[in-house]
Every structure is written in structure tokens, then in C-alpha cells.
Amino acid sequence: MPSSRVAVIGAGAAGLVAARELRREGHAPVVFELAAAVGGTWRYDDAASADPLGAGRVHGSLYASLRTNLPRECMGFLDFPFVAGEGAEGDPRRFTGHQEVLRYLEAFARRFDLHGLVRLETEVISVRRSGDASWSVSYCSRKLAAGTDSGGELRDEELFDAVVVCNGHFAEPRLAEIAGIDRWPGKQLHSHSYRVPNQFHAQVVVIIGYNPSGMDISRDIAGVAKEVHVAIRAAPAEMQSTTAHANLWLHPMIDRAEEDGSVVFQDGSRVKADAIMHCTRGAPLFEKKNHALHWVRTCIL
């Protein structure tokens, strides 16, 4: 098989292993990574987005208390087992904290000498078909712009034989549609912007969604909040209204929000809430149009 020049978008777990396998097969991968280091979604960022409902320039969605919901044995690569780290920073738990996952990915990149393939602080803007056998990748690089008068970002374009998209789907928040939310006076945020529960001290919080992030965050917030009410899609017969936390309740989905601060659920029950947290899944970072991939996030030059 002839060697191909391949663009890999993202230096998280998928991007790193894709780059390694491509190089093993004799290809020439180039990895584009928006952040200043490898790790992808497992790189914790203290700074939540300035826009609590949007991604802004913050890529990561990790919250401080996050642990894996799979045992480490299921998360490692076959030829590079995910064993407990040594020393004071090591986390021996099977369902480990996010810091341990990042250390594992960093060790994987070092072990297989992948850092030289990665262009850090480089954001892909679009991928377009160029002729019958090539792809044109357009990108912005803050790192390459250092020391130039380009205004902080340098834009360029290169041709590749193939493209591997490994940028995940957690960085662009997707919000639930709620009737009357424009007139509701409380605070809204997406779980993408959540880090620690302190801001919800003594408040009544409604959480939308009960997938892993909704489960984790509702319990995290229950430790400081006055009340936590979780809206879930389960059928009423399948739903238990009470939980292990005395101040945490499960409800059907939200029917509407009202001007007096009330949140009304589909079964007619209501609470007066201080905040609504959208623990809803993220949207893809690109859209496909006319044989091209256009990134939803754009580069302002």
C-alpha cells in the first residue's frame, strides 16, 4: 500500500491511537489539536466558559469530581494496559478520577513518541474535497503565530490524502427546549460549563437529563443545594421519585417555565427554582455540506 499523508483532527484518545496505527502502517499522520497539550476531553480546565450556555473557547467538559464509569481494565489499549500510576499522584481505584486517565494518555503519547506528530494550539476550520483524491484542510494556529503581527492567529491550508476526524462531541452544548424559558427569571447553564458545586449553595436546582453526567452532577450539587430536582425521560412506571439523597427528587420532563420562577413538570408538579442545569448531550463540531466538513466553531482573524 502506498504511503498517504493523513490529517488527524484531535489529540485525545482516538486521535493519538489513530496516529500511532497510521504510522505503523507506513503513513504520515499530522495531528491537529486545539489545546496546548494532548489529552482531548480528559484535559481538565478550571475556567468554565464565560457563556454558561455555550462553549466559548473552553473545550473540556470535565467537572472536578468526575470519575470514570468504566473500570480501567476496559479503557486501556491492548498493548498498553491502563495500570494504576505510581507515586503520590497515582490513583489505584478501578473507577479512577479523570486525572489518572489524562496521565495514562500522556504516558501513551510518550511511549510511542507521538508528540512530534501533533500540532498544538491549532484549530481546524474546514475540510474540503480537492480534486478526486485529496482533501484541503484549513486551520488557524496560535502557536505558529507567536512572534508575528498576525493578530494572535495564523491561518493556513494544506492538502492531505485522507482525513480522520477524532474531535469528539462534547465541546458544543446542546440545550433542551423549554416553553416559557425566555421569561423565566432564574439562571441557566449547561453541564459543559460546570466544574464545582459551590455556586449552588442553599439553592433549588433543576437538572435536565439523567445520563452519567446528570447522575454525577445531581449528586455533587445535592451536597450543597437546598433541593435538587432531576427531569428525566423515563416512563412514569419506570421512575422512582425518591433517591438515596433526602434532598434529591426525580420527575418527568419539564413542561414549561413561568415568570414567577416556577418550573412545571409534565405530571403537573412544580418547584420554584433558582437554576436550571442542562445535562444534555453535545452536538457534533462539524457539519457536512457539498462534500466538505465545516466546523461549527469558527476562527476570527
Side-chain angles (χ1 to χ4, degrees):
M1 178 184 296
S3 177
S4 297
R5 191 164 186 258
V6 184
V8 178
I9 302 170
L16 291 173
V17 75
R20 185 191 69 167
E21 294 304 307
L22 285 164
R23 188 174 60 185
R24 278 181 169 178
E25 294 297 321
H27 301 298
V30 176
V31 184
F32 295 91
E33 171 54 46
L34 173 65
V38 303
T41 194
W42 291 102
R43 182 159 292 281
Y44 180 76
D45 188 344
D46 278 320
S49 172
D51 175 6
L53 292 177
R57 298 294 298 183
V58 177
H59 181 77
S61 299
L62 295 184
Y63 36 95
S65 64
L66 185 141
R67 291 173 60 183
T68 64
N69 59 357
L70 293 172
R72 66 169 69 239
E73 294 89 345
C74 296
M75 297 182 68
F77 302 118
L78 287 177
D79 58 352
F80 194 74
F82 186 8
V83 297
E86 298 178 355
E89 291 186 346
D91 186 344
R93 298 174 296 181
R94 293 184 71 203
F95 295 86
T96 186
H98 59 83
Q99 302 93 334
E100 183 85 346
V101 182
L102 177 61
R103 285 191 288 268
Y104 169 75
L105 293 174
E106 291 172 334
F108 178 82
R110 289 192 302 270
R111 169 65 179 80
F112 295 101
D113 195 22
L114 300 177
H115 284 100
L117 305 178
V118 183
R119 298 184 186 179
L120 299 172
E121 298 182 86
T122 303
E123 179 176 12
V124 171
I125 305 305
S126 68
V127 178
R128 301 173 182 273
R129 205 70 164 115
S130 178
D132 294 332
S134 297
W135 294 87
S136 177
V137 176
S138 214
Y139 59 88
C140 289
S141 174
R142 295 191 300 278
K143 193 169 185 178
L144 292 178
T148 72
D149 57 358
S150 63
E153 291 181 322
L154 186 66
R155 185 165 184 162
D156 205 349
E157 190 169 349
E158 294 182 35
L159 291 179
F160 292 88
D161 300 302
V163 178
V164 183
V165 180
C166 302
N167 63 347
H169 59 275
F170 297 111
E172 288 292 331
R174 182 176 304 199
L175 305 179
E177 295 184 3
I178 303 172
I181 196 65
D182 292 341
R183 298 182 300 279
W184 184 73
K187 174 176 64 176
Q188 290 188 79
L189 73 159
H190 192 277
S191 57
H192 175 81
S193 301
Y194 175 77
R195 297 295 180 268
V196 293
N198 304 4
Q199 61 183 303
F200 300 106
H201 181 74
Q203 293 187 1
V204 176
V205 183
V206 172
I207 290 181
I208 303 173
Y210 209 47
N211 286 313
S213 64
M215 292 181 186
D216 279 355
I217 293 173
S218 63
R219 292 187 292 240
D220 212 19
I221 290 176
V224 300
K226 179 181 178 182
E227 298 176 8
V228 178
H229 299 266
V230 184
I232 66 175
R233 292 191 180 278
E238 301 171 356
M239 187 174 64
Q240 296 179 346
S241 60
T242 58
T243 69
H245 296 266
N247 63 337
L248 195 159
W249 294 268
L250 305 182
H251 300 267
M253 291 301 289
I254 295 173
D255 180 69
R256 65 187 183 276
E258 298 183 342
E259 292 184 49
D260 67 351
S262 295
V263 174
V264 183
F265 301 97
Q266 290 176 350
D267 63 356
S269 62
R270 62 173 62 215
V271 297
K272 281 200 173 180
D274 300 291
I276 293 176
M277 168 91 71
H278 297 256
C279 291
T280 43
R281 296 182 184 274
L285 287 184
F286 63 87
E287 53 190 8
K288 186 176 181 181
K289 292 181 180 179
N290 300 325
H291 305 289
L293 300 178
H294 299 274
W295 260 246
V296 175
R297 295 172 63 185
T298 57
C299 177
I300 306 301
L301 295 178

